[in-house]
Amino acid sequence: MLTARPFALVLSIFLLAIASGCATTQAPDPLERVNRKVFAFNEGLDKVVLEPTAKAYTAAVPASVRGGVSNFFANSQDLWSAANLLLQGQGVEGSREAVRFGTNSVVGILGIFDVATSLGLDRHGETFGSTLTAWGMEPGAYIVWPLLGPSTARDSVGIPIDMLANPLSWIGYVPLRNEFAVGRFVDQRAKALPLTKMIDEVALDKYLYVRDAYLQRHRRMRDDGRTSGSDDAGPDANSAPSAR
């Protein structure tokens, strides 16, 4: 959990982003100078700590076990995804997502095994940011957050709400809750390894590459009538939790 000072800092940066509100389709990144500094910090932290940890995890843990870990963390978000679908007026899909969560939690042993997908209950992976999108809220300025990576002003509103809505954050025993948080972070970083390797190989300006990929993906999902994607659909510029 954020203490008062870090929370105030995060809130101040966010309010600055909103106040700068000069973001347009043609100029979505009015905070580029600050964003590049945060991006550079994330890159340095990723190179020293996050990427080596993810590589060690991938090398030490069999793929089948890593798949079960990914399923577990993805399942922990499905109930909140169902709630967001309902908030978006998608009652049928919201109900199916809730059934998916219940099926995997019970039959799939806390979601370790993804039984629901084989039954035709696909994951939607909705967040509060996607609900705000469905309600017509504009994305606002592009923002790069420490550790969390790329976002927009709109999606940043949903970040703390999504965190608090995850059942794993309700665990009263703090050391266990922190272990789950670290585990999920490492799992997401490990899934993003192929993507970040590709970016390192092809991007002349990694900041611009990640920013443009993130914004294009969100634009495409909006145009297709979709507001978010499944966490286990593979790594992309949106899902990488690290500095990239």
Side-chain angles (χ1 to χ4, degrees):
M1 298 293 294
L2 290 174
T3 59
R5 287 185 178 180
F7 179 78
L9 176 61
V10 168
L11 182 60
S12 297
I13 296 174
F14 177 66
L15 291 176
L16 173 63
I18 296 295
S20 73
C22 307
T24 65
T25 302
Q26 292 72 31
D29 190 7
L31 297 174
E32 181 173 352
R33 181 176 297 181
V34 175
N35 284 337
R36 281 187 176 274
K37 292 180 179 179
V38 177
F39 184 84
F41 166 79
N42 286 347
E43 284 280 297
L45 183 63
D46 187 70
K47 182 178 180 180
V48 174
V49 178
L50 305 180
E51 186 175 13
T53 301
K55 287 181 175 179
Y57 169 71
T58 301
V61 180
S64 59
V65 176
R66 296 200 309 273
V69 171
S70 294
N71 289 340
F72 170 78
F73 286 122
N75 183 68
S76 71
Q77 302 173 84
D78 282 349
L79 190 60
W80 178 231
S81 174
N84 277 288
L85 285 165
L86 293 176
L87 289 171
Q88 295 168 29
Q90 301 186 56
V92 174
E93 293 303 323
S95 298
R96 287 172 59 85
E97 192 88 329
V99 172
R100 174 190 171 84
F101 172 77
T103 300
N104 279 346
S105 296
V106 177
V107 183
I109 311 176
L110 299 180
I112 294 175
F113 301 100
D114 185 4
V115 179
T117 296
S118 64
L119 298 177
L121 299 169
D122 295 329
R123 173 174 287 122
H124 292 78
E126 299 292 303
T127 65
F128 193 66
S130 61
T131 295
L132 293 175
T133 302
W135 289 350
M137 183 176 178
E138 292 297 322
Y142 175 75
I143 305 173
V144 180
W145 292 104
L147 288 177
L148 299 178
S151 185
T152 62
R154 176 192 60 211
D155 292 345
S156 295
V157 172
I159 290 175
I161 298 174
D162 292 335
M163 289 180 175
L164 292 174
N166 191 307
L168 297 181
S169 70
W170 307 342
I171 297 174
Y173 185 56
V174 176
L176 179 60
R177 186 173 68 222
N178 291 341
E179 287 178 10
F180 276 130
V182 172
R184 180 170 182 266
F185 204 86
V186 172
D187 169 65
Q188 289 189 318
R189 184 61 187 92
K191 290 194 294 183
L193 284 173
L195 173 68
T196 51
K197 180 181 179 181
M198 182 270 291
I199 293 175
D200 288 338
E201 292 173 349
V202 305
L204 297 178
D205 185 329
K206 286 192 284 187
Y207 173 82
L208 290 181
Y209 187 96
V210 172
R211 183 194 69 186
D212 292 348
Y214 180 88
L215 295 177
Q216 286 173 12
R217 178 178 184 271
H218 275 53
R219 229 174 276 126
R220 184 172 63 252
M221 289 189 297
R222 179 199 62 199
D223 294 341
D224 290 344
R226 298 173 56 229
T227 50
S228 71
S230 168
D231 278 350
D232 58 359
D236 54 38
N238 183 34
S239 64
S242 72
R244 322 307 276 200

